[in-house]
Each structure stands twice: as C-alpha cells, then as structure tokens.
C-alpha cells in the first residue's frame, strides 16, 4: 500500500516534468516497489533504462545503464541477487541522455543525501547523468536526521515517501 502511494506521487512528478527517458532500479527486498512503474513507463512509450552493476576489477565497480523493453522477459537475477537484463538483452544507453534517475537507498536525510548499499555504484554513476533529475523513493521509516555524507556523496534532487516529498531546492518542476 505504501509503495502504491509513493508510485502515485512519483507519476504526478513524472507528469509535470514529462521526461523522455527514465532509469529505474528494479526493487528487491524491502525497497519501494518499482516494477509497476517500470511497466507503466513501458506501456506509455517512455525510454526505460535499468542499471547493471559491473564488478570488472576490485576498483572498477560501475553501473552500465541498459534500455529495457520488456520487464517480464528480459531480466534475471544478477549482481547482489538483483534483477538485471539477461546478456542477450543488454542495450547500453548513454548516461548523459537520461532525463530522470530513480535512485535506491537504505536511508536518507532531509538534505537529500543517501546511504546506499556500500559499494558506491550510484555515487560514481550519477555525475555521468549530466542532464538528469534524481529522485529517491523511500518509506518514511528510512528518513533519518543525518546520514553524515562523505565528500564524494551526491544528494538526490528529491525524495518521495508515502507522506511527503523532500526537495533539496535544486529542482523546479514545471
């Protein structure tokens, strides 16, 4: 139910901003569900991108953004047991062409900083998304006073929870 409320609020913002391309994480565990939003975006002819976590070398952990055309047919369990595109469905998409990135996280603060899962994938990836708005989806219980961000941490533009939207002031929706 809370994921449904967050999804409705997300789509209100998407409707105001009207991006052409949206990168979604594919939810797992206790994360805010994104699967319905992914399918809705596909049905409405948005370009949908999902992350593939690449562990090339110990110091080369990065996200490969890949275009998705069918959530049900094109994904399988990948890195960290998260659903990712099967090898035959990997369609690299330039990060600088992504209009909106939906960002996962474990905890968030009111300054829009986040704690991820500890590998730094999104902190390395988001600077490449030069024209993207970043939105985190979270439950109220995930909002804490301070995540004590490091110098390399990048805040998202806003966080949507079931009861509020926290905006860092950097984004103006039309």
């Amino acid at each position: 139910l809370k994921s449904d409320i967050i999804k409705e609020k997300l789509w209100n913002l998407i409707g105001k901003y009207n991006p052409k391309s949206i990168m979604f994480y594919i939810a797992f565990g206790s994360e805010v569900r994104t699967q319905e939003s992914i399918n809705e975006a596909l049905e409405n002819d948005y370009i949908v991108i999902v992350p593939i976590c690449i562990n090339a070398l110990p110091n080369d952990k990065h996200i490969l953004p890949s275009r998705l055309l069918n959530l049900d047919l094109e994904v399988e369990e990948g890195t960290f047991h998260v659903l990712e595109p099967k090898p035959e469905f990997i369609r690299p998409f330039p990060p600088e062409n992504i209009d909106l990135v939906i960002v996962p996280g474990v905890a968030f603060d009111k300054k829009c900083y986040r704690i991820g899962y500890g590998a730094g994938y999104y902190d390395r990836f988001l600077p490449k998304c030069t024209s993207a708005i970043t939105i985190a989806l979270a439950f109220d219980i995930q909002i804490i006073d301070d995540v004590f961000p490091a110098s390399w941490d990048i805040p998202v533009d806003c966080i949507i929870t079931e009861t509020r939207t926290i905006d860092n002031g950097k984004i103006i929706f039309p």
Side-chain angles (χ1 to χ4, degrees), residues 68-86:
L68 186 72
L69 301 178
N70 186 309
L71 179 62
D72 296 325
L73 300 176
E74 296 182 357
V75 299
E76 65 185 3
E77 193 172 292
T79 309
F80 308 115
H81 308 289
V82 176
L83 293 177
E84 296 180 340
K86 297 174 186 175

Side-chain angles (χ1 to χ4, degrees), residues 25-69:
Y25 65 89
I26 303 176
F28 81 106
S30 61
E31 293 178 326
V32 173
R33 304 282 94 196
T34 55
Q35 285 81 337
E36 283 185 25
S37 286
I38 291 169
N39 283 325
E40 188 171 331
L42 289 167
E43 290 166 13
N44 288 291
D45 296 322
Y46 288 93
I47 296 169
V48 173
I49 301 108
V50 294
I52 300 171
C53 291
I54 306 290
N55 266 328
L57 299 166
N59 293 326
D60 185 18
K61 296 177 180 179
H62 63 276
I63 287 176
L64 171 65
S66 180
R67 184 164 182 187
L68 186 72
L69 301 178

Side-chain angles (χ1 to χ4, degrees), residues 1 23 29 32 37 45 53 59 62 64-65 84 88 94 101 111 114 121 153 160 165:
L1 180 61
M23 181 170 166
V32 173
S37 286
D45 296 322
C53 291
N59 293 326
H62 63 276
L64 171 65
E84 296 180 340
E88 63 268 29
V101 179
K111 294 173 285 193
R114 58 183 278 281
Y121 283 97
D153 288 332
I160 299 173
T165 299

